[in-house]
Amino acid sequence: MIRDYQAIQKTWFIKGKQKKIPTYGKNPGVKMIGTLDYITGMVYCEEHERYDANVFLKFLENILAKYPTGKIVMILDNARIHHAKLIQPFLMKEKDRLELMFLPPYSPELNLIEGLWGWIKSSIINNKFFSSVAIVKTAINKFIDEINKAPHITIDRLCIKM
């Protein structure tokens, strides 16, 4: 979830002249689910109104369609929907193509996609005012389009060097 509330991020300003970010007192946001291809640096994201097991199942189907050949290993946190009974038959059917690996609890620093969400927030959301969620969505999609034009930058920024 990338909220559109306005947050002051670390920044320099003249003493007594702190940047003022207006707000409208609501916390709507953009619910995103995404992948970061560790090899290519390409980012694929989908936006949804809610995030539940049905949405996750559709996302997995879309990933298999996006990568029609080869084995996919997806690293995930332990959110309940990632273990939902609804997706188990699909995972059994696709076990030769798709493997889900789960990170230890409370270890977001190991999840590369969390770095992407932080990058988006620091580059797009923080220190700015958005008058609507639609404008936030547009800004996020533009950001993802831009980083996908130079995926080596994403790899340098987010992927662990071996």
Side-chain angles (χ1 to χ4, degrees):
M1 166 76 101
I2 298 176
R3 299 197 183 277
D4 72 340
Y5 58 75
Q6 294 67 42
I8 297 291
Q9 185 180 24
K10 59 188 172 207
T11 186
W12 291 98
F13 54 87
I14 298 171
K15 186 175 182 179
K17 302 283 186 184
Q18 181 176 353
K19 185 175 186 176
K20 294 184 182 186
I21 308 293
T23 185
Y24 39 78
K26 297 179 182 174
N27 290 335
V30 180
K31 292 182 176 87
M32 308 267 316
I33 183 172
T35 61
L36 166 60
D37 185 321
Y38 192 86
I39 303 297
T40 67
M42 296 298 290
V43 172
Y44 170 74
C45 291
E46 296 178 1
E47 175 200 333
H48 295 276
E49 293 298 316
R50 66 187 193 292
Y51 188 54
D52 60 19
N54 287 311
V55 169
F56 184 58
L57 176 58
K58 183 65 178 160
F59 178 74
L60 293 175
E61 291 168 348
N62 292 344
I63 292 297
L64 288 178
K66 182 168 180 56
Y67 297 96
T69 61
K71 175 88 173 186
I72 298 168
V73 178
M74 191 176 289
I75 310 298
L76 300 163
D77 61 19
N78 280 287
R80 289 176 59 178
I81 63 165
H82 297 155
H83 298 278
K85 289 179 184 177
L86 175 75
I87 66 168
Q88 297 310 313
F90 175 79
L91 292 175
M92 286 303 297
K93 182 180 94 170
E94 298 294 345
K95 66 183 177 192
D96 292 335
R97 291 240 19 248
L98 179 65
E99 180 180 351
L100 304 184
M101 294 185 66
F102 296 96
L103 292 170
Y106 309 106
S107 57
E109 71 282 356
L110 299 177
N111 194 342
L112 300 181
I113 202 75
E114 293 297 336
L116 175 69
W117 304 142
W119 188 10
I120 290 172
K121 289 174 185 177
S122 67
S123 298
I124 303 299
I125 302 299
N126 293 346
N127 299 332
K128 294 179 184 80
F129 174 73
F130 294 93
S131 57
S132 72
V133 175
I135 297 171
V136 175
K137 292 176 186 179
T138 300
I140 291 169
N141 288 326
K142 182 179 175 191
F143 180 84
I144 291 169
D145 288 345
E146 287 300 313
I147 65 173
N148 277 338
K149 290 177 185 172
H152 63 281
I153 294 171
T154 303
I155 290 172
D156 288 346
R157 181 172 182 132
L158 299 177
C159 296
I160 300 165
K161 312 282 187 298
M162 297 279 193

